[in-house]
Amino acid sequence: MKSRGLYFFTIKDRLKSAYQALKNGGYVHVLSMNIILQLVGFGSILLIAGFLGPSDLAIVKTTQAYAAVLLVIAGAGLTAPVLRYCADPKLSESELIHVLNTAIKLTTVSSLVVLVFILVLVPVYWNIDEQPGIFYLSYSLVLPGIALTTLLFIFLQARQKYSVLAKNQTGIKLFSITAILIGTYGWGLIGFVIATITTTYAGLVLLLRISYKRQRSLTVIELPKDFSRMAVFSMTSVFITTFGQSSDFILLDYFDSSLIEVGKYSLATIFYMGAATITASIQ
């Protein structure tokens, strides 16, 4: 019995030590932030669905499905090499900023190419004077902001800025949710897209300030040889996964399904995606 008690306390001490290590590293902040934000986000989605109605909700979900696929191309797969090399403790802060600058430039160019592609393609297949064509065009303006925000988020994770990232990300998310709810309630689809674009770029500016804080000098280094190759493979794999996840709404739109029926389907998927997202956040 004495050995069992000793074994129990040993395990307990190890668990306490592991928890303290996670807490000191900021992982607890990130985990708590993700769970809280996902719960708040889930509730806000239900409110937005009630404000918009089935038809407008169908337009939003279909637009987001297309945007998710195009966002992978806009990001150019650069989050993988940034996470890999910016986590290297051998690189100085100025060298890290050089890597980040290169990634930002490539992401900006890729995002603008995708944006031009959308501006050319949408008028061909949809009437831009009516919904959903006008909404597709308007929502596309958010893609560069999301692509750059994701890149900065990964950069700060690579530098283990978990606590700072958790606090600021919570503020950004809550501000975004509040603005989108007010915009949607007051002005419908127009309010939704304006609030989304505004809050996305406001969050981007904040992350830029955090990423470049106190950085005055820049050391130019040669990027690793497999930097581009890693980005290509990452983009390819994520594109396949994302397209599979978004294919339901894309196919429904391709076959000209009723917006009301698509809206009902969208509402059903909200509950599934809410539970799946919370699980993914914990992982």
Side-chain angles (χ1 to χ4, degrees):
M1 292 294 294
K2 186 176 180 180
S3 60
R4 289 185 179 179
L6 181 62
Y7 179 70
F8 172 76
F9 283 111
T10 302
I11 294 178
K12 184 178 179 181
D13 291 339
R14 289 180 177 178
L15 290 175
K16 289 178 65 177
S17 299
Y19 172 79
Q20 193 63 39
L22 291 173
K23 185 177 180 181
N24 293 337
Y27 295 104
V28 174
H29 294 89
V30 175
L31 177 61
S32 302
M33 174 201 72
N34 281 337
I35 294 176
I36 293 173
L37 291 182
Q38 296 305 334
L39 289 173
V40 173
F42 174 72
S44 67
I45 291 174
L46 292 178
L47 289 174
I48 290 172
F51 295 157
L52 291 177
S55 296
D56 287 346
L57 179 62
I59 293 174
V60 171
K61 296 298 290 185
T62 302
T63 304
Q64 290 176 339
Y66 283 117
V69 175
L70 293 172
L71 188 59
V72 177
I73 302 174
L78 291 167
T79 54
V82 166
L83 181 61
R84 162 65 179 84
Y85 292 108
C86 289
D88 189 349
K90 297 178 181 178
L91 295 181
S92 66
E93 285 295 326
S94 59
E95 290 173 332
L96 291 170
I97 293 299
H98 171 67
V99 175
L100 178 61
N101 284 344
T102 303
I104 287 177
K105 291 176 183 177
L106 293 173
T107 301
T108 302
V109 172
S110 179
S111 299
L112 292 177
V113 170
V114 171
L115 191 58
V116 171
F117 172 78
I118 295 172
L119 295 177
V120 172
L121 186 65
V122 168
V124 176
Y125 291 94
W126 293 277
N127 186 355
I128 60 174
D129 294 326
E130 300 176 358
Q131 301 291 6
I134 189 172
F135 189 80
Y136 289 166
L137 282 178
S138 301
Y139 194 85
S140 66
L141 298 176
V142 82
L143 293 182
I146 296 177
L148 292 170
T149 297
T150 303
L151 180 66
L152 293 172
F153 187 84
I154 293 298
F155 172 77
L156 292 172
Q157 280 188 331
R159 301 311 300 155
Q160 299 182 8
K161 305 292 185 180
Y162 299 116
S163 298
V164 175
L165 187 59
K167 294 175 183 178
N168 286 277
Q169 192 69 6
T170 301
I172 293 171
K173 188 69 174 181
L174 293 176
F175 169 68
S176 174
I177 290 173
T178 303
I180 291 174
L181 283 174
I182 294 174
T184 306
Y185 178 77
W187 298 277
L189 281 178
I190 296 177
F192 176 88
V193 72
I194 292 176
T196 300
I197 294 172
T198 303
T199 55
T200 296
Y201 285 99
L204 173 60
V205 171
L206 179 59
L207 289 179
L208 282 169
R209 293 186 63 181
I210 297 173
S211 301
Y212 287 93
K213 188 176 182 180
R214 298 178 181 176
Q215 184 59 43
R216 297 180 180 179
S217 61
L218 177 65
T219 300
V220 178
I221 61 172
E222 184 178 353
L223 293 178
K225 295 181 180 180
D226 62 344
F227 190 90
S228 299
R229 184 176 62 180
M230 186 181 295
V232 171
F233 281 118
S234 173
M235 183 177 66
T236 303
S237 62
V238 175
F239 179 86
I240 294 172
T241 302
T242 305
F243 186 81
Q245 294 173 342
S246 306
S247 59
D248 49 356
F249 286 100
I250 294 175
L251 288 174
L252 287 171
D253 184 56
Y254 178 78
F255 290 110
D256 294 325
S257 301
S258 168
L259 287 178
I260 294 179
E261 295 301 320
V262 175
K264 293 178 180 178
Y265 173 76
S266 302
L267 190 59
T269 60
I270 288 174
F271 292 93
Y272 167 76
M273 292 305 298
T277 304
I278 293 175
T279 303
S281 297
I282 296 176
Q283 292 175 343

